[in-house]
Every structure is written in C-alpha cells, then in structure tokens.
Amino acid sequence: KKLQFCSFFTFVAGIVAGLIGIGGGMVLGPLMLVMGIHPSVSTATTASMILLTSSSVAVMFVMSGLVPWQYALYFFCVCLVGAYIGKSRIDSYVRKTGMTSVLVGTLATIIALATVGCMVILFTNLAKVGWCVDGFKPFCVVKSEEDECPSRLLMDWSAEELFPY
C-alpha cells in the first residue's frame, strides 16, 4: 500500500517536473517528510533532483539559442555562490542547535513564497490585459504560406526577439 502511494506521487512529480520543472522541490520534498525521512536527507535529495532538472533545461535553452549564454553563465555563478553560502550557513546552524525543523520551515517558506509569487505575477498580468482570460495562446507563429510547415515553433525565435532589452 505504501509502495503504491509513493510510486504514484513519484510518477506525478515526474510529470510535473517534465511540464514545469518543480517536481523535486514542490512534490517530493514534502512527500519525503510525510514518509518520515530525516529532513536533512529530504533536503539533500530534493536539491539533487532540482539540480539535475534545472541544469538539463538550462543547457537545452542555451544550446537552442533561446537564452544568451552570457545570461546563463552569470545566473549560474550567482546561484552557485548563493547556494553554497546558504547551505553552509544552514548546516552550521543545524549542527550547533540540533534543530532540523529549520530545514522543514525553510522548505515550507520557499513553497509559500513561490506560490505567492506566482499569484502576484498572475494577477499583475491579468490586470494588464483588463482581466480578460482569452484561453491558451498558440506557441507558433505563421511565417509565410510557402513554408512546408505552416508554423514555426517558439524554438525558431532568436534570442534578440525573446530578450529585446
């Protein structure tokens, strides 16, 4: 029974990770805590999953030319330094105090802030278009009638078209 429960949520986390890239942190992290896995093990496992998912997506976008490699390199360095400082400080704090609940609180705070951030972005974007929800927009742009494929995928756009500033 427990194996089926864990398998189902792991499958859902894989789908969510593939679709929007948050499966490791948002689904499996809390699931591991519910299963009774030690918070430090849960945090390390979640961080490893996020590293693999995020890195593969970032490489894909850089290789396809959708993100300028200078931006990717800059944000990689900033994230690496931030992760190192954050992880070393939280580890030293947990070792000093023995309070692994700090890891659970940090995970809950990150999930809550991500949820609030998504809601703010959603409502801000809806306000810009007069609260009009017109459904899904196409991911393709029709270039011309002569094309063998009637549309071009978003991947065909250049970095300058996506990042004009």
Side-chain angles (χ1 to χ4, degrees), residues 49-138:
M49 288 185 288
I50 291 172
L51 174 72
L52 292 173
T53 304
S54 301
S55 298
S56 63
V57 170
V59 167
M60 180 187 75
F61 276 97
V62 170
M63 296 299 286
S64 66
L66 286 173
V67 175
W69 67 269
Q70 296 92 344
Y71 286 3
L73 183 62
Y74 172 76
F75 285 115
F76 169 78
C77 292
V78 170
C79 278
L80 184 68
V81 170
Y84 178 75
I85 292 171
K87 187 68 176 149
S88 61
R89 290 198 179 183
I90 198 90
D91 281 348
S92 66
Y93 181 79
V94 168
R95 264 188 252 121
K96 274 188 222 174
T97 63
M99 293 177 27
T100 57
S101 61
V102 171
L103 299 172
V104 176
T106 303
L107 179 62
T109 303
I110 289 171
I111 291 171
L113 289 175
T115 303
V116 169
C118 287
M119 297 302 284
V120 167
I121 291 170
L122 170 72
F123 290 129
T124 303
N125 289 340
L126 280 174
K128 285 180 187 175
V129 295
W131 300 97
C132 176
V133 180
D134 58 354
F136 292 104
K137 301 211 187 272

Side-chain angles (χ1 to χ4, degrees), residues 132-162:
C132 176
V133 180
D134 58 354
F136 292 104
K137 301 211 187 272
F139 288 106
C140 302
V141 176
V142 176
K143 294 283 186 178
S144 70
E145 298 289 328
E146 294 100 29
D147 288 340
E148 60 188 58
C149 178
S151 60
R152 296 282 180 210
L153 294 175
L154 181 63
M155 295 293 186
D156 290 341
W157 289 10
S158 68
E160 289 78 25
E161 290 174 307
L162 292 171

